[in-house]
Amino acid sequence: MLFLQNGRSTNLTITAVAGLYHTDLKGIVLSFQETRKEFKGDITLVTFPLVAISNKSPEQTAREIGEYLEQHVEEVSSFEVVKGFLNIRMSDTYWLACLHELSEEKAYGRHSRNGKKIMVEYSSPNTNKPLHLGHVRNNVLGFSLSEILDAAGYEVFKTCLVNDRGIHICKSMIAWQKYGNDETPESTGLKGDHLVGKYYVIFDQEYKKEIASLVATGSTEEEAKKTAPLILETQALLLAWEAHNPEVLALWKRMNAWVYAGFEQTYSRLGVTFDKYYYESDTYKLGKDLIQQGLDSNVFFRKPDGSVWIDLSTDGLDEKVVLRADGTSVYITQDLGTAVLKEADFGMDQSIYVVGNEQDYHFKVLFLILKKLGLPWANGLLHMSYGMVDLPGGKMKSREGTVVDADDLIDEMQETARIKTEELGKTDDFSDAEKISLNRKIGLGALKYFLLKVDPRKRLLFDPAESIDFQGNTGPFIQYSYARIKSILRKESNISRYKGEFLGMNEDERSLIKLLYSYRETVHTAAQEFSPAVIAAYLYDLSKSFNRFYHENQVLKAEDEVTRQFRLNLCLQTGLILKSGMTLLGIEVPEKM
């Protein structure tokens, strides 16, 4: 990667091969990779593809190219041949030039605009319950991915689709009407989303009682589920909602407003934002229009009961309902409408849906339907499928008793951070306000980093206690590394701008510069792979490299002023990139801890 960023070195490698073997290299691509840690070198040229033109063994080919580069390319100081791999070591001058380059840029790592628009849709809450641990992973993934793509040069639109209508929302409404006694967030002291979620749970409890009663009188369980009075009332409420019944709409708006206020508080605590909200109550109508167009063009078909379907069996899937027999929408109805509306609003090159892997099949169907409807932009749709989150030793405290509430989780993380910092004596000289701020940053930083450091596609076991550790691969370890750098820099008010005059780097300094310089490429890789875990791994490596450098080398008491200023600049640049990278993960870094 680093070698490729230096165009002269790459061109001279091509010249070396062409001159040595009298060929123009047509059809052959030089393959570079970073040298593995157990070998000496910075970049490795794979020479196996070149033996066809050298007519020599891979080892001989590698040695000849290495000798040419060592003699003709000033940036190359030495080389080592391991079988067919040419490990190239770059000179101190090269790495000092790299440090100078990154120190000259105000926002090193951010790429220039590439002219492409990309949308990231995340969160997707239902207005019948509070946000939970699964939503937390969804939100931190979506927000971080958006920040990474923005840094990689894309114009990014962050959107949230709110599932604000449908049978589940009607369940909370019916339960509140029947059992709520006019409770409000103000009268109960509950956040609005928690209050509505309470009645969603009550619905489930009362519905199960009705099912049990019907089964006891001779109904099958399946019959009981369909004929229980509570579910029939809920279905009638949904039909009334779609018929624009004024009283039903008024109650729906009132309860949803409670939920929205609660969501905003949680989003604010998590530090996530959106550029635009979409609402299922708006987009399901567009979905119905699209389904009618599909019926007219024979993409869909209507069954005798009036329901509308699509047959995807020839595509390896099965039949999928897109409209119920009573004319009401299903989830895919509104997703079709939302996709059309988003494209009309933004005209993006790519649209990413951040949704858990339990919806893999749903998105296969959605994307395939849009393609069958002849919409060319459907090729730019991507489902960023992520794994579920598990907890060791059972569930944390939850108001619902079935899921881990997001607000409870945030409170738990901040309290754990308080206990940890007090045990370690890290806040003895902090004011009360500083302690609260620090514990918030550490608690949220630990939570977000733990959720982001794992490949998004993998299922995750989240251990709150393990996440808040000031050693190891954790958010607090990186935050502490940054705070250590800020402490060093506060002791020196006069840091000269680095000009590249330092000579005689040791391996700690050299390794640190290599990592710093690779930040730009790391951002690009994370964007290409849609993986914040790439940034997290980089930040952990950078923090380890810095701490090793700091423990082995005097900074403020260096042997001479040139060395002192050089090392202070290394500290400065490391701090800037640590903060930049953590910002891409949506994590704040404290100035002291």
Side-chain angles (χ1 to χ4, degrees):
M1 300 294 185
L2 300 171
F3 196 74
L4 289 174
Q5 289 173 349
N6 187 302
R8 179 172 179 273
S9 298
T10 305
N11 290 336
L12 282 171
T13 303
I14 294 172
T15 301
V17 175
L20 283 167
Y21 307 120
H22 309 291
T23 179
D24 57 9
L25 287 181
K26 283 184 179 180
I28 296 177
V29 178
L30 293 181
S31 176
F32 291 99
Q33 59 191 36
E34 289 194 47
T35 303
R36 290 164 56 180
K37 292 180 179 179
E38 60 265 34
F39 299 114
K40 294 180 180 179
D42 300 310
I43 202 74
T44 296
L45 174 66
V46 182
T47 61
F48 294 101
L50 301 175
V51 297
I53 59 174
S54 69
N55 293 317
K56 297 177 182 177
S57 69
E59 291 85 351
Q60 288 178 298
T61 304
R63 184 164 300 282
E64 287 183 349
I65 296 172
E67 289 172 351
Y68 183 95
L69 291 174
E70 189 176 40
Q71 294 173 18
H72 294 87
V73 182
E74 63 181 2
E75 294 93 340
V76 174
S77 64
S78 62
F79 70 91
E80 177 184 72
V81 175
V82 179
K83 297 183 178 179
F85 298 93
L86 172 61
N87 300 327
I88 303 166
R89 182 176 172 87
M90 308 304 288
S91 67
D92 286 358
T93 303
Y94 173 82
W95 292 116
L96 290 170
C98 291
L99 177 62
H100 179 67
E101 179 185 327
L102 66 89
S103 67
E104 288 294 302
E105 292 192 26
K106 291 183 179 179
Y108 184 78
R110 297 196 66 87
H111 297 241
S112 57
R113 290 298 174 204
N114 58 25
K116 294 183 179 180
K117 298 178 181 179
I118 195 164
M119 178 178 287
V120 182
E121 178 195 297
Y122 57 98
S123 197
S124 302
N126 297 320
T127 57
N128 62 330
K129 56 189 175 183
L131 302 177
H132 53 66
L133 175 57
H135 287 111
V136 174
R137 189 177 196 195
N138 182 299
N139 277 276
V140 299
L141 272 174
F143 183 80
S144 177
L145 179 60
S146 300
E147 295 297 296
I148 290 167
L149 290 168
D150 179 72
Y154 294 88
E155 183 179 2
V156 180
F157 309 106
K158 297 176 292 185
T159 59
C160 174
L161 173 63
V162 183
N163 300 299
D164 66 337
R165 62 159 295 283
I167 196 71
H168 296 297
I169 279 70
C170 288
K171 288 177 180 178
S172 294
M173 292 166 62
I174 281 287
W176 185 85
Q177 282 182 317
K178 295 175 74 70
Y179 314 111
N181 298 314
D182 292 321
E183 282 190 344
T184 67
E186 291 75 21
S187 69
T188 61
L190 290 174
K191 281 180 74 216
D193 51 337
H194 291 151
L195 178 63
V196 174
K198 168 185 170 182
Y199 286 98
Y200 184 63
V201 172
I202 289 173
F203 175 93
D204 187 62
Q205 293 168 345
E206 296 301 320
Y207 180 40
K208 286 177 179 176
K209 290 178 185 177
E210 291 186 349
I211 292 170
S213 178
L214 289 169
V215 169
T217 59
S219 296
T220 66
E221 185 174 351
E222 194 62 32
E223 289 171 340
K225 288 179 178 179
K226 293 179 180 179
T227 59
L230 206 51
I231 196 65
L232 294 177
E233 288 181 75
T234 306
Q235 291 168 345
L237 190 69
L238 178 58
L239 286 169
W241 184 91
E242 292 208 8
H244 305 292
N245 179 289
E247 291 183 3
V248 173
L249 287 177
L251 175 61
W252 170 74
K253 290 178 180 177
R254 184 185 186 194
M255 294 183 71
N256 272 354
W258 295 343
V259 176
Y260 297 148
F263 283 171
E264 284 306 312
Q265 291 179 46
T266 308
Y267 288 142
S268 178
R269 296 185 74 189
L270 279 174
V272 301
T273 58
F274 305 95
D275 298 311
K276 183 162 185 173
Y277 289 88
Y278 288 95
Y279 299 89
E280 184 183 345
S281 55
D282 296 326
T283 61
Y284 87 100
K285 300 172 187 175
L286 291 172
K288 284 187 171 183
D289 292 342
L290 200 61
I291 288 167
Q292 184 57 55
Q293 295 173 25
L295 279 168
D296 295 341
S297 60
N298 296 318
V299 173
F300 303 116
F301 67 94
R302 195 182 298 276
K303 288 192 174 183
D305 66 356
S307 58
V308 180
W309 296 71
I310 186 169
D311 185 1
L312 301 173
S313 56
T314 58
D315 299 284
L317 304 177
D318 55 14
E319 290 188 349
K320 174 69 177 178
V321 63
V322 295
L323 211 60
R324 294 190 185 97
D326 61 8
T328 56
S329 305
V330 293
Y331 273 121
I332 208 158
T333 315
Q334 59 93 6
D335 281 348
L336 290 166
T338 305
V340 172
L341 185 57
K342 291 194 299 186
E343 175 62 26
D345 285 346
F346 293 100
M348 54 278 183
D349 299 282
Q350 193 165 23
S351 182
I352 301 172
Y353 295 75
V354 182
V355 183
N357 57 15
E358 77 278 9
Q359 295 294 325
D360 284 353
Y361 183 80
H362 174 83
F363 282 100
K364 285 180 182 178
V365 171
L366 174 65
F367 298 166
L368 187 54
I369 290 175
L370 290 166
K371 289 175 183 177
K372 287 184 178 292
L373 288 168
L375 300 170
W377 45 264
N379 292 318
L381 304 179
L382 173 70
H383 174 206
M384 181 181 173
S385 174
Y386 64 88
M388 295 296 98
V389 184
D390 299 314
L391 290 160
K395 300 177 177 65
M396 291 175 64
K397 181 178 67 173
S398 168
R399 292 182 176 90
E400 291 190 37
T402 56
V403 295
V404 179
D405 182 272
D407 294 307
D408 287 342
L409 178 61
I410 295 171
D411 290 341
E412 183 81 11
M413 294 302 297
Q414 292 182 184
E415 176 62 12
T416 304
R418 182 191 67 78
I419 293 170
K420 287 269 190 178
T421 54
E422 287 184 359
E423 286 177 351
L424 296 171
K426 291 184 176 296
T427 57
D428 291 347
D429 60 342
F430 280 48
S431 67
D432 288 343
E434 287 175 329
K435 289 178 182 178
I436 292 171
S437 176
L438 178 64
N439 292 331
R440 179 185 63 81
K441 291 175 182 178
I442 293 175
L444 278 173
L447 172 62
K448 291 181 179 182
Y449 186 85
F450 203 100
L451 295 175
L452 292 172
K453 72 177 182 179
V454 176
D455 186 300
R457 294 163 293 188
K458 294 181 179 178
R459 198 174 184 102
L460 175 66
L461 179 67
F462 175 63
D463 185 340
E466 181 186 335
S467 71
I468 299 185
D469 192 333
F470 291 91
Q471 298 296 325
N473 189 8
T474 67
F477 171 65
I478 298 169
Q479 289 173 316
Y480 182 68
S481 299
Y482 175 80
R484 167 176 276 173
I485 290 169
K486 296 301 291 185
S487 175
I488 295 169
L489 297 178
R490 279 194 295 271
K491 296 172 183 175
E492 177 53 67
S493 58
N494 182 29
I495 302 177
S496 302
R497 191 179 186 88
Y498 177 69
K499 298 178 182 179
E501 67 273 18
F502 180 73
L503 295 175
M505 281 191 300
N506 61 41
E507 285 301 316
D508 294 327
E509 295 160 339
R510 180 188 180 91
S511 296
L512 191 53
I513 295 175
K514 283 173 64 176
L515 268 173
L516 292 171
Y517 194 63
S518 68
Y519 178 55
R520 192 205 310 270
E521 184 66 26
T522 301
V523 171
H524 174 75
T525 301
Q528 293 298 109
E529 296 182 7
F530 302 114
S531 179
V534 172
I535 299 293
Y538 168 83
L539 293 173
Y540 178 50
D541 285 344
L542 180 59
S543 297
K544 287 191 297 181
S545 182
F546 171 77
N547 281 286
R548 183 167 53 248
F549 154 78
Y550 178 73
H551 283 299
E552 298 297 327
N553 300 274
Q554 290 285 351
V555 176
L556 294 172
K557 296 181 179 179
E559 54 268 30
D560 57 68
E561 186 60 21
V562 172
T563 303
R564 184 169 176 274
Q565 289 297 328
F566 169 70
R567 290 176 180 168
L568 282 168
N569 271 274
L570 274 181
C571 293
L572 176 64
Q573 296 306 320
T574 303
L576 290 172
I577 289 180
L578 282 178
K579 183 174 184 178
S580 173
M582 291 291 264
T583 300
L584 296 185
L585 300 182
I587 298 174
E588 294 180 80
V589 283
E591 296 292 303
K592 64 175 184 175
M593 56 188 292

